[in-house]
């Protein structure tokens, strides 16, 4: 216990010392941020109303936090075909507590989901885009306040001189000035990326660049053009070289070809004919790769959580993480919606490829994602040095309540029920495993499965 307190005190002192310098070098130069967040010289200091210090006084989890219980709930979620497959990872204090698969990859040709089964990440991909851009800023070859038109000269918006005002940080925090989800319907209609970016020139504007938030996929993906102009490498190649390979994310890839080339991958499913129908993945959102192009296994995502919680400083230094996770614009609509959001969230903002929430007084760094047949959610609880990610291969919302259930347990919150009534979170985990149907695989953890070649 004494050793734990000393270790925590050292971590707290280090974070406190580094935070003011998160963007203080020439690479992460000071900027003036626009929007509903108070204007601050450095993005690490920009705070959404009520956002607490991300470091709690004590990083220990509340009594009763039981990883086996959450694994048992995951088994319940896939039991009897409620959903086809699911994968979950939980990391704490730089250790992987769980990284397992549950259920099957394909309802018609069932193979067990394991730690190296690849899922489509959808908008969880945005965290990779923000992070690789931050790495280039750290390198000194790019600035957060660099103008998009310096790298994409053909970029245009409908308002006079608006395009010239858009910065790299505006793109990554959805502050381009367009109305929300501009041209997403065209993505669904199979339009190519170049045509979509050209259409931005005639799209209606919601506000001046930097002045408001509106979620984007097409405009967000312009960051890929910036990365290409800066590095001379295609965006996916840069992410693979700078993130996937050094972090040991050996199953990760970009694009439809990437997932189909995987040794093991989970097919997307939709409801039909009284059950789950597997499909071929749509290529549409893969065309906006920075916004929605990553494929990864739960083993990969456990490594991603470790890096994002500060345990791979050789790849992602603490000052960069502080910048990436600090909100730049308020997103109050995020407080509405699911019951756990209405109950737990008192403030919400968007950072650089990540969302930032105030969750019952604690900072939670979050992102969710969904495309046809796949859904996922991930969250970091910086004050507790905890990370959680869930991936599943169906359109069901059933697993969504497991993530806030885990966060509640970590914080000792007992006044919320976010899972369906017939999911027994309180039952002894031994009982839950005992009642699991034999046809539902228990899952394979990261230490037992073999990674596919990079």
């Amino acid at each position: 216990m004494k050793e734990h307190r000393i270790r925590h005190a050292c971590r707290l002192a280090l974070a406190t010392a580094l935070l003011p310098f998160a963007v203080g070098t020439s690479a992460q130069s000071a900027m003036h941020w626009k929007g509903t967040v108070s204007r601050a010289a450095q993005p690490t200091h920009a705070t959404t109303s009520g956002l607490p210090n991300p470091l709690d006084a004590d990083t220990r989890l509340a009594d009763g936090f039981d990883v086996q219980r959450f694994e048992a709930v995951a088994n319940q979620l896939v039991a009897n075909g409620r959903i086809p497959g699911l994968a979950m990872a939980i990391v704490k204090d730089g250790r992987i507590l769980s990284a397992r698969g549950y259920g099957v990859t394909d309802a018609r040709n069932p193979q067990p989901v394991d730690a190296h089964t690849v899922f489509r990440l959808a908008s969880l991909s945005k965290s990779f885009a923000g992070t690789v851009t931050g790495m280039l800023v750290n390198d000194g070859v790019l600035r957060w306040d660099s103008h998009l038109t310096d790298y994409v000269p053909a970029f245009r918006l409908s308002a006079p001189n608006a395009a010239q005002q858009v910065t790299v940080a505006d793109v990554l925090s959805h502050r381009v000035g367009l109305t929300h989800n501009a041209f997403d319907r065209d993505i669904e209609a199979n339009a190519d990326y170049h045509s979509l970016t050209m259409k931005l020139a005639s799209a209606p504007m919601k506000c001046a660049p930097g002045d408001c938030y509106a979620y984007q996929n097409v405009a967000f993906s312009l960051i890929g053009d910036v990365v290409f102009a800066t590095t001379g490498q295609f965006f996916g190649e840069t992410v693979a070289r700078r993130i996937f390979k050094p972090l040991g994310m050996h199953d990760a890839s970009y694009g439809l070809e990437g997932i189909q080339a995987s040794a093991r991958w989970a097919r997307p499913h939709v409801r039909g004919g009284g059950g789950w129908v597997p499909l071929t993945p749509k290529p549409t959102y893969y065309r906006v790769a920075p916004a929605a192009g990553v494929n990864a296994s739960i083993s990969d995502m456990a490594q991603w959580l470790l890096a994002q919680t500060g345990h791979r400083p050789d790849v992602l230094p603490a000052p960069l993480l502080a910048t990436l996770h600090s909100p730049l614009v308020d997103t109050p609509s995020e407080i509405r919606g699911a019951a756990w959001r209405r109950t737990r969230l008192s403030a919400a903002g968007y950072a650089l490829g990540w969302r930032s929430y105030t969750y019952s007084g604690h900072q939670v760094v979050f992102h969710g994602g969904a495309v046809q047949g796949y859904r996922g959610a991930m969250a970091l609880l910086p004050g507790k040095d905890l990370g959680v990610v869930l991936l599943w291969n169906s359109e069901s919302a059933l697993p969504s309540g497991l993530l806030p259930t885990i966060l509640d347990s970590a914080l000792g919150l007992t006044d919320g029920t976010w899972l369906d009534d017939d999911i027994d979170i309180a039952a002894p985990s031994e009982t839950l495993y005992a009642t699991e149907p034999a046809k539902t695989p228990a899952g394979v953890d990261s230490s037992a499965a073999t990674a596919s070649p990079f």
Side-chain angles (χ1 to χ4, degrees):
M1 185 62 68
K2 181 178 179 182
E3 181 183 355
H4 174 87
R5 288 196 298 268
I6 293 172
R7 188 164 58 247
H8 172 63
C10 291
R11 192 169 75 90
L12 182 62
L14 176 62
T16 303
L18 286 174
L19 195 59
F21 299 100
V23 289
T25 66
S26 59
Q28 303 228 30
S29 52
M31 291 164 283
H32 294 280
W33 299 93
K34 296 178 280 186
T36 53
V37 172
S38 300
R39 296 192 179 191
Q42 301 176 17
T44 349
H45 294 161
T47 56
T48 300
S49 301
L51 186 69
N53 187 313
L55 290 173
D56 288 345
D58 189 344
T59 61
R60 289 175 300 179
L61 303 182
D63 292 341
F65 187 88
D66 183 355
V67 172
Q68 284 192 332
R69 199 178 303 276
F70 305 134
E71 291 175 338
V73 171
N75 273 310
Q76 288 186 78
L77 290 170
V78 300
N80 301 317
R82 298 178 72 174
I83 62 170
L86 170 72
M88 177 178 68
I90 303 173
V91 306
K92 164 71 176 154
D93 294 334
R95 295 174 53 245
I96 300 173
L97 302 185
S98 180
R100 302 170 69 95
Y102 309 84
V104 297
T105 62
D106 184 333
R108 291 183 177 168
N109 182 26
Q111 300 294 324
V113 175
D114 67 16
H116 293 281
T117 299
V118 174
F119 289 76
R120 191 171 181 176
L121 297 193
S123 283
L124 274 63
S125 304
K126 290 182 172 70
S127 64
F128 292 88
T131 298
V132 78
T133 305
M135 297 169 87
L136 297 175
V137 173
N138 257 13
D139 292 346
V141 298
L142 188 64
R143 292 168 56 101
W144 292 119
D145 58 355
S146 294
H147 289 100
L148 181 60
T149 50
D150 291 341
Y151 302 91
V152 190
F155 174 62
R156 296 288 184 274
L157 292 172
S158 59
N161 301 316
Q164 288 70 32
Q165 299 173 37
V166 177
T167 68
V168 166
D170 290 335
V171 172
L172 291 169
S173 57
H174 303 288
R175 297 178 302 164
V176 175
L178 297 166
T179 56
H180 70 88
N181 295 93
F183 299 116
D184 276 10
R185 289 184 180 179
D186 295 74
I187 299 176
E188 293 282 5
N190 220 24
D192 67 276
Y193 171 69
H194 178 71
S195 298
L196 292 171
T197 58
M198 292 298 100
K199 282 189 171 186
L200 295 176
S202 59
M205 299 287 291
K206 179 181 178 182
C207 65
D211 281 351
C212 66
Y213 164 84
Y215 193 78
Q216 304 294 323
N217 284 301
V218 176
F220 184 96
S221 294
L222 288 163
I223 202 64
D225 299 86
V226 174
V227 170
F228 177 77
T230 304
T231 66
Q233 282 191 317
F234 291 116
F235 176 78
E237 294 174 345
T238 303
V239 175
R241 178 174 60 87
R242 298 296 301 267
I243 295 177
F244 295 164
K245 190 169 185 178
L247 292 183
M249 298 177 64
H250 300 307
D251 305 315
S253 65
Y254 268 91
L256 180 59
E257 298 81 5
I259 195 169
Q260 291 181 329
S262 301
R264 298 184 289 283
W265 59 281
R267 271 62 177 177
H269 291 77
V270 297
R271 283 285 188 190
W276 289 110
V277 179
L279 304 173
T280 298
K282 277 188 174 183
T284 50
Y285 276 92
Y286 278 131
R287 297 197 174 103
V288 285
V294 178
N295 313 299
S297 67
I298 206 65
S299 177
D300 295 327
M301 294 306 288
Q303 297 303 322
W304 186 233
L305 293 176
L306 291 175
Q308 291 288 332
T309 50
H311 295 282
R312 287 298 307 272
D314 56 317
V315 181
L316 300 181
L320 174 58
L321 293 175
T323 301
L324 295 173
H325 299 163
S326 295
L328 303 179
V329 62
D330 286 324
T331 59
S333 62
E334 287 289 298
I335 300 174
R336 302 186 289 273
W340 69 267
R341 293 174 180 272
R342 298 192 304 271
T343 304
R344 294 284 184 246
L345 303 188
S346 59
Y350 205 93
L352 295 160
W354 285 96
R355 298 188 183 279
S356 182
Y357 296 152
T358 300
Y359 187 103
S360 292
H362 302 263
Q363 186 191 18
V364 167
V365 181
F366 174 90
H367 219 291
V371 293
Q372 185 187 49
Y374 295 98
R375 294 188 69 169
M378 60 180 173
L380 315 173
L381 192 56
K384 298 296 182 184
D385 199 359
L386 179 75
V388 182
V389 64
L390 300 169
L391 306 173
W392 61 100
N393 60 332
S394 67
E395 295 184 328
S396 172
L398 188 63
S400 301
L402 181 52
L403 189 145
T405 298
I406 295 171
L407 296 180
D408 277 11
S409 180
L411 297 170
L413 304 173
T414 59
D415 60 335
T417 302
W418 318 125
L419 290 160
D420 281 5
D421 291 341
D422 58 342
I423 301 294
D424 192 355
I425 184 66
S429 56
E430 293 83 0
T431 302
L432 293 176
Y433 278 119
T435 58
E436 176 196 341
K439 67 180 180 179
T440 303
V444 182
D445 68 22
S446 285
S447 61
T450 304
S452 59
F454 183 79

